[in-house]
């Protein structure tokens, strides 16, 4: 974090005013440059969205969120998971390494390519692990069903706040892949 931005940020925290927008652009630029979306960067994105743009931002994965940036971030995370499941750890560069910056800034240019690659990975995954392939296809379908087809579901460009939501959607979906899912229903005996 450059010292000038850090100073402005601390002043905004202490005075309760809006955070400097250079903070948002700096974090987005760092994410695009190194592809690392961690809890600290996600929390900075979230704090700027809440304070500066008065957006309601979920704490964890929000499967009902219909914001375009958030949905596209989730889809990007699913595409990355499909690639990882199909190819394992034997990948020199993941789709995140190659396409994250372009997908978050100008998704229309990238998502056709990502979808075509995902279909190839799905084909390989169906042969290796059919159950995993079906689960990922269901997840992808449930996310794309949230898109409004009449309102340009994949826009040509995303603004800074939408790019922040893209990063949060990606981060939340990736985190959800590592969360233990408890699918057993609660009964009176187990309560």
């Amino acid at each position: 974090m450059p010292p000038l931005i850090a100073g402005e940020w601390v002043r905004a925290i202490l005075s309760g005013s809006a955070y400097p927008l250079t903070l948002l652009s700096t974090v987005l630029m760092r994410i695009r440059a190194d592809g690392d979306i961690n809890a600290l960067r996600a929390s900075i994105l979230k704090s700027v969205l809440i304070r500066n743009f008065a957006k309601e931002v979920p704490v964890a994965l929000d499967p009902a969120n219909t914001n375009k940036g958030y949905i596209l971030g989730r889809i990007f995370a699913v595409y990355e998971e499909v690639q990882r499941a199909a190819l394992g750890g034997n990948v020199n560069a993941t789709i995140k390494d190659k396409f994250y910056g372009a997908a978050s800034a100008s998704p229309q240019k990238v998502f056709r390519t990502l979808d075509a690659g995902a279909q190839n990975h799905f084909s390989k995954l169906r042969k290796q692990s059919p159950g995993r392939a079906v689960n990922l296809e269901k997840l992808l379908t449930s996310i794309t069903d949230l898109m409004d087809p009449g309102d340009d579901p994949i826009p040509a460009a995303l603004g800074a706040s939408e790019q922040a939501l893209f990063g949060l959607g990606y981060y939340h979906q990736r985190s959800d892949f590592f969360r233990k899912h408890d699918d057993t229903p609660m009964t009176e005996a187990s309560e």
Side-chain angles (χ1 to χ4, degrees):
M1 186 70 53
L4 290 175
I5 295 174
E8 290 177 34
W9 189 19
V10 170
R11 257 189 303 287
I13 291 170
L14 295 174
S15 67
S17 61
Y19 294 146
L21 289 179
T22 52
L23 175 65
L24 177 63
S25 61
T26 301
V27 172
L28 290 172
M29 187 172 50
R30 289 302 315 149
I31 290 171
R32 281 195 300 267
D34 63 16
D36 184 24
I37 303 173
N38 54 35
L40 176 63
R41 289 178 179 177
S43 64
I44 293 171
L45 294 176
K46 182 179 175 184
S47 65
V48 172
L49 289 171
I50 291 171
R51 185 168 288 191
N52 290 24
F53 299 102
K55 292 196 181 248
E56 287 194 30
V57 182
V59 175
L61 181 65
D62 180 6
N65 191 326
T66 59
N67 179 282
K68 286 180 186 178
Y70 193 80
I71 290 172
L72 291 173
R74 289 184 63 200
I75 291 171
F76 190 81
V78 172
Y79 285 159
E80 183 184 28
E81 182 64 16
V82 169
Q83 180 190 36
R84 189 198 62 73
L87 303 178
N90 303 332
V91 180
N92 289 336
T94 66
I95 64 166
K96 182 179 81 169
D97 299 332
K98 291 181 181 179
F99 297 110
Y100 181 87
S104 66
S106 51
Q108 206 172 60
K109 292 180 180 178
V110 176
F111 269 84
R112 283 195 185 115
T113 304
L114 293 175
D115 188 53
Q119 295 312 313
N120 293 333
H121 293 135
F122 269 125
S123 177
K124 183 172 183 176
L125 187 58
R126 279 187 207 100
K127 295 172 188 166
Q128 296 172 345
S129 176
R132 181 79 172 131
V134 168
N135 288 337
L136 287 170
E137 285 174 334
K138 285 181 180 179
L139 176 61
L140 190 59
T141 301
S142 71
I143 296 170
T144 56
D145 284 348
L146 296 171
M147 299 174 112
D148 182 14
D151 188 28
D152 191 20
I154 301 178
L158 294 175
S161 65
E162 295 290 317
Q163 288 180 39
L165 284 165
F166 182 97
L168 286 173
Y170 172 82
Y171 178 75
H172 288 163
Q173 188 64 57
R174 288 290 303 149
S175 297
D176 191 63
F177 288 134
F178 298 107
R179 186 175 60 84
K180 182 179 178 185
H181 295 277
D182 186 16
D183 294 333
T184 58
M186 292 280 285
T187 62
E188 290 180 25
S190 65
E191 290 178 353

